[in-house]
Amino acid sequence: MTSNFFKLALFSLGFILLTISSTSAQQIFKISGQVKSGDAQIEAATINILGAKQKVMADSLGNYSVELKPGNYTFVISAVGMTTLRKTVKVTKNAILNFELEDSANNLEEIVISTARDDRSLASPQMGTERLTMKTVKNIPLIFGERDILKAIQLLPGIKSAGEGGAGIYVRGGSSDQNLILMDDVPVYNAAHLLGFFSTFNPDAVDDITVYKTGMPSQFGGRLSSVLDIKMRQGETEKFSASGGIGLISSKLTLEGPIQKNKSSFIISGRRTYVDALLRLSPDSTINQNTLYFYDVNGKADFQLGENDKLTFSGYLGSDKLGLAKTFGLSWGNGIASAQWRHIFSQQLSSSTIASYTSYQNKIEVNTGIDNVRIFSQLKDWGLKQNFFWQASDKNLVKFGFNSIYHTVTPGEITSEGVSSYNPVNYQERFSLENAIFASSDWQASEKLNIGFGLRLTGFSVLGGGDFLTVSPEGDILNSTYYKKGDFVKTYLNLEPRLSLSYLLNQQSSVKASYVRNVQNMHLISNSTSSRPSDKWLPSSLMVKPEISDQFAVGYYRNLFDNAFELNVESYYKTMDNQIDYRDGAETFNSDNIETQILYGIGRAYGLEVLFKKKKGDFTGWLSYTLSKTERKIGEINGGNWYNARQDRTHEVALVGSYQLNKKWNLNASWVYYTGDAITFPTGKYNMDSQTFFYYTERNMYRMPAYHRLDLGANLQLKQKKNYSSELSFSLYNAYGRKNAYTIEFREAENDPTKTEVVRTSLFQFLPSISYNFKFK
């Protein structure tokens, strides 16, 4: 009796537990889907589920997954640069739920330049990140009739222009070569057209750009100061369209459409300047034989191979040519090609595989009638990158993978034709292999605390194929060792940890902190005050060590007046090892033994950045301010004391405003000010053999004059129909005609050789431009 009772009790208990388990399982449903904007997936979107107190992060393909009990929930979906979406969802079964986000630039109530939206910007541990789309850049005055994304980011705190009209940038004390510029995940080594007055990136082919000034995700590496992640647009998948523009010195045309409707698409965009055609109209032979132009072509094709696979091919080809009659010619250009395969293994795991090729080359030709000389140099990369994205839990997104690049550097080939005083020279090629493995995690530790941490292991192998020098501190060659091609000469291993966190003080404000270590093994050799197309890239070698930086940053972030205004304040301190500078009188252009011309030391940079933005209303804009200091310390320079780096500027201010006057007119303006760059001027002179020589003492101890400029712009919508739209864009560069110094030179006075005169050169005054843009759908 007792035994039967216990059997019955155990059976009843088991039945009850099984029923509870079954009921519980039936009460948990899986909701999954994708976050998109048009045909593009949104990387790292945040889905905040009100009522469940859950927050889910989407992976790089926009995929997410979450488990919920039955009930009504409000999903709040936000992403960098996108308008936050709120949607009420009734959960009664397993379901696929996709979300479509709208670019914040489509909404006049949103800010012109967006870092992150509302809750995401406060909660995300990512610091020092800005995102721009070409729709937002539209509301910034043009230069030469072109919308330029690199000019636009120079208006943000901590990002400085390398000079008047230049495309180069200095980020938080770094030099212009310390920025990793990626076009669809492929490195770009020279981002300048026409010596920097245009950037390499055709605005009609670009979708957006994300700039990381600190706390770079671990999948990025290879540069010390910043990452510029530029994405090309995907073509229309439903119907064909054509768009273009005609400006004062350049025109462009873009064609796009479906290859197979809703499954595959293409886009091809090209532009060319025609200054050279205008020069030919001149009756002056000293002008009409000159050459000055550039062209570039972007192309991209996307193929949806099924629900879980997507294949993308993208490419770029661009070239510049500058010539003075038949006596001098300078040309340079980039070529880029890549193939990307994206695959979804499950709602929790996806991947992207990228194979790429990039090339940068420049050529100089000198024809004096006696000497006909050609100098050619080139850099080529073959790359493979594998990314995995794993949604480990609702609160933890893990990224991991590897990257490999094979570098070939041709520093110079000098050839001559006919009778010439120059002998042909081939400087030896340099080969290297750069490998990295990486992993990172974004973890929501609590309702208020979010943590991002990552690790990157870089291995840079110097490969044989020539002679490798050992150089004394005085620059004398001590030893030369030959290694045959394929030999491993030396491998540099470096760990790059990254850590960032954010803490929500309340619903309107948060504080953040971050630490990041970066390593750079490709170095730009240039002793000019601004980068030139003929500057050389030099990989790490026996003597040239990897550059290493450690950056610490803290910040305070606050949304004001119902998120109509935003205030961001960030401060940073960065140390840099193995920094490169040049010996007095260094010749870096025609030298196979470049290691004898350069010096090594340390650097430091620190500063405060403030960004105040108005995000809503007909009038939007921002005010940015940067207070900073950048210094170097190298034993052989300035007696081993700290000295100003050439990119050092104390103060920098940018004020940007856009006013939507009505449905047709948008007015915009920007004003910039910065203290002069550090520069070396002569402190005396002496005469020898009837020639005057200037004497220099401390490096970079003087300052260029302060720079300031006002630009004005206006956009007029001409027609806005279902299948056609057009607009006119007007701008006035340097509206009050400030004669900013481009160069300052010292020379003997023509009438009195005992006196020295200072010659100041300015570039632009009152530079107007107009462009006509159209689109057929």
Side-chain angles (χ1 to χ4, degrees):
M1 178 75 176
T2 305
S3 176
N4 291 335
F5 175 78
F6 277 111
K7 289 181 180 179
L8 180 62
L10 289 173
F11 176 78
S12 302
L13 179 61
F15 179 78
I16 292 171
L17 291 174
L18 181 63
T19 303
I20 294 174
S21 175
S22 175
T23 304
S24 175
Q26 292 175 359
Q27 296 301 309
I28 299 296
F29 298 117
K30 183 178 180 180
I31 306 298
S32 60
Q34 193 175 62
V35 183
K36 301 177 67 177
S37 177
D39 295 315
Q41 293 90 359
I42 302 300
E43 180 176 356
T46 298
I47 301 98
N48 192 8
I49 306 167
L50 304 182
K53 293 185 178 180
Q54 290 193 56
K55 183 177 290 186
V56 183
M57 292 173 287
D59 64 19
S60 70
L61 304 181
N63 300 309
Y64 77 95
S65 177
V66 64
E67 293 183 343
L68 296 170
K69 296 179 180 180
N72 294 322
Y73 301 94
T74 300
F75 282 56
V76 181
I77 306 94
S78 56
V80 174
M82 296 291 167
T83 301
T84 299
L85 175 67
R86 299 174 70 92
K87 189 170 184 177
T88 301
V89 177
K90 186 176 182 180
V91 176
T92 59
K93 61 180 180 179
N94 296 332
I96 295 176
L97 185 61
N98 296 323
F99 298 108
E100 181 84 13
L101 295 187
E102 182 182 358
D103 194 301
S104 62
N106 292 332
N107 188 343
L108 295 179
E109 296 298 309
E110 304 300 331
I111 185 172
V112 176
I113 284 188
S114 176
T115 53
R117 294 283 306 137
D118 303 342
D119 177 68
R120 177 172 169 76
S121 68
L122 296 177
S124 170
Q126 182 65 57
M127 294 183 64
T129 303
E130 311 285 350
R131 179 180 181 267
L132 289 81
T133 68
M134 292 314 303
K135 294 176 181 178
T136 63
V137 177
K138 176 181 177 180
N139 294 328
I140 297 175
L142 315 176
I143 176 172
F144 295 125
E146 283 281 333
R147 296 187 176 104
D148 197 311
I149 202 161
L150 290 189
K151 298 293 191 301
I153 67 171
Q154 293 171 9
L155 299 170
L156 298 170
I159 303 176
K160 304 176 181 181
S161 164
E164 175 85 81
I169 57 173
Y170 303 137
V171 178
R172 290 191 171 179
S175 55
S176 59
D177 69 317
Q178 293 177 354
N179 307 299
L180 177 63
I181 302 176
L182 299 172
M183 179 185 287
D184 278 352
D185 287 297
V186 183
V188 178
Y189 283 94
N190 188 305
H193 281 311
L194 290 185
L195 302 177
F197 296 110
F198 289 81
S199 78
T200 298
F201 309 108
N202 184 342
D204 288 352
V206 172
D207 187 21
D208 63 56
I209 175 174
T210 304
V211 185
Y212 299 91
K213 298 181 290 184
T214 187
M216 300 82 174
S218 61
Q219 67 263 34
F220 299 122
R223 300 294 186 273
L224 292 195
S225 294
S226 74
V227 177
L228 282 69
D229 187 19
I230 300 167
K231 301 298 184 184
M232 289 177 56
R233 279 206 306 120
Q234 179 177 313
E236 294 280 354
T237 58
E238 294 188 353
K239 57 183 178 180
F240 291 95
S241 68
S243 60
I246 302 172
L248 292 179
I249 65 171
S250 67
S251 291
K252 54 193 176 181
L253 179 65
T254 300
L255 303 174
E256 59 183 306
I259 300 174
Q260 184 179 4
K261 193 171 182 179
N262 293 324
K263 289 188 176 181
S264 57
S265 66
F266 78 94
I267 180 172
I268 183 167
S269 184
R271 60 176 175 167
R272 191 191 191 279
T273 59
Y274 30 76
V275 176
D276 55 327
L278 299 177
L279 293 177
R280 294 192 191 102
L281 301 177
S282 173
D284 190 340
S285 60
T286 62
I287 296 177
N288 60 31
Q289 296 185 44
N290 294 334
T291 304
L292 181 63
Y293 73 88
F294 77 80
Y295 73 85
D296 54 32
V297 180
N298 293 76
K300 189 171 186 177
D302 293 271
F303 300 88
Q304 192 70 43
L305 304 180
E307 291 185 0
N308 298 326
D309 294 279
K310 185 176 183 179
L311 188 60
T312 300
F313 299 95
S314 61
Y316 169 86
L317 181 64
S319 181
D320 285 71
K321 190 170 182 61
L322 185 156
L324 300 177
K326 298 181 180 180
T327 62
F328 175 81
L330 172 62
S331 59
W332 68 96
N334 296 280
I336 294 172
S338 69
Q340 181 177 27
W341 172 43
R342 295 180 176 180
H343 178 68
I344 301 173
F345 295 96
S346 67
Q347 288 293 339
Q348 285 74 38
L349 182 64
S350 61
S351 72
S352 69
T353 306
I354 305 165
S356 65
Y357 168 80
T358 182
S359 170
Y360 171 69
Q361 62 183 27
N362 63 74
K363 182 172 64 176
I364 299 174
E365 294 178 294
V366 179
N367 302 309
T368 64
I370 299 176
D371 293 313
N372 299 321
V373 182
R374 176 179 176 268
I375 304 173
F376 173 80
S377 61
Q378 186 179 43
L379 186 155
K380 294 186 295 185
D381 283 354
W382 293 93
L384 178 65
K385 187 172 185 178
Q386 179 67 55
N387 295 310
F388 291 97
F389 309 91
W390 176 40
Q391 188 76 56
S393 69
D394 294 347
K395 300 180 180 181
N396 192 4
L397 175 63
V398 179
K399 304 176 185 179
F400 60 97
F402 68 87
N403 188 25
S404 183
I405 303 175
Y406 181 75
H407 302 283
T408 302
V409 178
T410 304
E413 297 176 354
I414 302 177
T415 58
S416 59
E417 297 178 357
V419 180
S420 175
S421 59
Y422 289 88
N423 296 319
V425 177
N426 286 331
Y427 297 135
Q428 60 186 10
E429 289 186 313
R430 294 297 186 186
F431 307 95
S432 52
L433 182 62
E434 188 170 7
N435 295 302
I437 56 175
F438 54 84
S440 65
S441 175
D442 293 327
W443 176 47
Q444 184 185 355
S446 69
E447 286 295 314
K448 292 188 175 184
L449 179 64
N450 290 270
I451 302 175
F453 45 88
L455 187 65
R456 182 181 180 91
L457 174 62
T458 301
F460 188 89
S461 297
V462 182
L463 303 180
D467 297 314
F468 289 83
L469 305 179
T470 303
V471 179
S472 72
E474 293 74 29
D476 299 321
I477 299 176
L478 299 177
N479 188 30
S480 177
T481 306
Y482 176 79
Y483 293 86
K484 67 178 183 293
K485 191 172 182 179
D487 285 350
F488 281 77
V489 179
K490 186 176 181 61
T491 297
Y492 295 99
L493 291 175
N494 284 286
L495 277 175
E496 304 174 43
R498 287 99 190 267
L499 175 66
S500 58
L501 56 89
S502 68
Y503 185 80
L504 287 169
L505 300 175
N506 50 50
Q507 293 184 348
Q508 289 78 38
S509 61
S510 68
V511 292
K512 302 182 185 183
S514 69
Y515 162 74
V516 60
R517 166 168 284 196
N518 286 311
V519 175
Q520 179 165 337
N521 282 288
M522 297 296 291
H523 321 278
L524 188 66
I525 303 302
S526 171
N527 58 4
S528 65
T529 55
S530 61
S531 59
R532 303 172 299 187
S534 57
D535 292 339
K536 299 178 181 180
W537 285 91
L538 178 71
S540 295
S541 64
L542 289 178
M543 295 301 300
V544 182
K545 303 295 191 297
E547 300 176 69
I548 300 174
S549 73
D550 293 280
Q551 183 180 170
F552 302 86
V554 294
Y556 173 75
Y557 310 84
R558 185 173 181 84
N559 292 328
L560 304 167
F561 304 108
D562 194 26
N563 296 326
F565 294 84
E566 183 176 314
L567 174 65
N568 298 335
V569 181
E570 292 188 5
S571 181
Y572 66 91
Y573 184 87
K574 179 163 64 174
T575 61
M576 294 168 278
D577 294 328
N578 302 325
Q579 296 300 282
I580 295 175
D581 212 327
Y582 307 93
R583 298 182 185 277
D584 292 335
E587 173 52 57
T588 62
F589 184 67
N590 293 324
S591 177
D592 197 22
N593 302 325
I594 194 67
E595 289 93 340
T596 64
Q597 306 293 306
I598 54 183
L599 301 168
Y600 313 96
I602 60 175
R604 64 186 180 190
Y606 46 92
L608 176 72
E609 301 169 2
V610 180
L611 181 62
F612 181 70
K613 302 185 291 188
K614 184 179 185 299
K615 305 189 292 184
K616 297 182 179 180
D618 292 331
F619 177 78
T620 57
W622 70 93
L623 169 67
S624 71
Y625 170 69
T626 304
L627 172 67
S628 62
K629 186 67 180 176
T630 306
E631 297 174 300
R632 298 286 186 267
K633 186 177 183 181
I634 296 176
E636 294 83 352
I637 298 177
N638 289 8
N641 297 314
W642 287 102
Y643 65 95
N644 297 322
R646 70 185 187 191
Q647 64 267 29
D648 177 61
R649 293 179 193 152
T650 307
H651 303 283
E652 186 145 7
V653 180
L655 181 61
V656 180
S658 175
Y659 180 63
Q660 193 68 36
L661 185 63
N662 51 45
K663 292 183 178 181
K664 286 182 173 288
W665 281 97
N666 174 271
L667 308 179
N668 48 77
S670 64
W671 181 78
V672 295
Y673 168 89
Y674 56 79
T675 50
D677 294 344
I679 194 169
T680 304
F681 286 146
T683 56
K685 64 179 181 179
Y686 58 93
N687 188 278
M688 182 179 297
D689 295 331
S690 301
Q691 284 188 300
T692 299
F693 296 89
F694 290 103
Y695 177 70
Y696 297 85
T697 53
E698 294 187 29
R699 190 172 298 189
N700 297 340
M701 67 177 295
Y702 295 98
R703 293 279 175 183
M704 293 284 283
Y707 181 100
H708 52 89
R709 187 189 78 243
L710 173 67
D711 301 334
L712 302 175
N715 299 314
L716 172 61
Q717 187 73 51
L718 298 176
K719 293 184 178 180
Q720 185 70 49
K721 296 183 179 180
K722 182 178 180 180
N723 297 320
Y724 174 74
S725 63
S726 62
E727 68 172 10
L728 281 175
S729 294
F730 309 89
S731 70
L732 179 59
Y733 182 88
N734 197 8
Y736 53 73
R738 164 76 173 178
K739 292 184 178 180
N740 290 297
Y742 184 66
T743 60
I744 293 180
E745 298 179 351
F746 293 79
R747 68 186 183 191
E748 289 183 351
E750 293 183 4
N751 298 328
D752 187 353
T754 63
K755 295 182 179 180
T756 301
E757 61 182 10
V758 181
V759 181
R760 172 171 166 164
T761 303
S762 300
L763 286 184
F764 303 121
Q765 272 188 286
F766 308 111
L767 182 64
S769 64
I770 182 173
S771 63
Y772 172 75
N773 301 295
F774 61 88
K775 183 171 185 178
F776 293 94
K777 300 179 181 180

